[in-house]
Amino acid sequence: MSEIDPNEPVPFTPAGDEAETLVSTLDRNRRTFAWKCGGLDAAGMAARLSPSTMTLGGLVKHMALIEDHYFTAMLAGREMPDVWHAYGGDDWEWRTASDDTPEELMALWRGAIARSRAAVAEALAGGGLGTLATKPTHWGATLNLRRILADLIEEYARHTGHADLIRESVDGLVGEDAPADV
């Protein structure tokens, strides 16, 4: 299974076609998110900024769920992995993240990304960015791969901003991109 290693630079496509640009932008956001959430102990993953109950651990588990929901289930039409069968409704991933170790959370997220990358590669090879998801959204819309990639870029951008604030409060780590020498 491939993993995201926040210590390895993700290739940036400065003048790629639409698919290369979307995929490399999503990977850049994933790498920055990994940098903001990685390398912490349980206390760091459970830190929060009052009055919010959001934690880095909750963000990691939420993004793993989002990856699997959009790419594994909706796009590829595959069953959600067993870990999600315990899903307990609204905010479950946020509420249960403290039950997992930082290593378990990061492994869950990395596994979801590996499945997402496989689903994206399959869709790009089959029908390109216009490939329609095999399952509709909960509101009944059928998204294409282009829309899903754009939605995930937005989701990561928003939550990386949350992670940035929480991480700064934990150990002072700040910045826009993971340094090349990290």
Side-chain angles (χ1 to χ4, degrees), residues 13-109:
T13 307
D17 63 21
E18 184 181 10
E20 291 168 328
T21 299
L22 288 169
V23 170
S24 72
T25 300
L26 177 56
D27 274 341
R28 178 181 175 206
N29 277 276
R30 286 172 172 155
R31 181 168 186 264
T32 303
F33 184 79
W35 177 51
K36 295 296 178 175
C37 296
L40 293 172
D41 61 13
M45 292 296 267
R48 63 186 194 91
L49 296 174
S50 191
S52 175
T53 60
M54 187 180 293
T55 65
L56 293 172
L59 284 165
V60 170
K61 198 165 189 177
H62 173 71
M63 290 310 301
L65 175 62
I66 294 299
E67 290 268 1
D68 272 328
H69 172 71
Y70 274 88
F71 292 117
T72 302
M74 283 179 45
L75 180 65
R78 295 185 180 97
E79 284 293 314
M80 291 287 276
D82 289 343
V83 68
W84 305 121
H85 292 180
Y87 186 78
D90 290 342
D91 297 332
W92 174 84
E93 70 275 26
W94 300 96
R95 290 183 279 109
T96 62
S98 63
D99 298 338
D100 304 311
T101 67
E103 295 78 19
E104 290 168 333
L105 290 167
M106 295 308 282
L108 176 67
W109 179 64

Side-chain angles (χ1 to χ4, degrees), residues 29 33 54 59 62-63 66 70 94 151-165:
N29 277 276
F33 184 79
M54 187 180 293
L59 284 165
H62 173 71
M63 290 310 301
I66 294 299
Y70 274 88
W94 300 96
D151 285 356
L152 265 286
I153 290 167
E154 181 275 331
E155 187 83 8
Y156 270 103
R158 182 166 31 97
H159 287 317
T160 300
H162 296 131
D164 191 38
L165 293 171

Side-chain angles (χ1 to χ4, degrees), residues 123-134:
L124 287 173
L129 292 172
T131 300
L132 293 176
T134 61

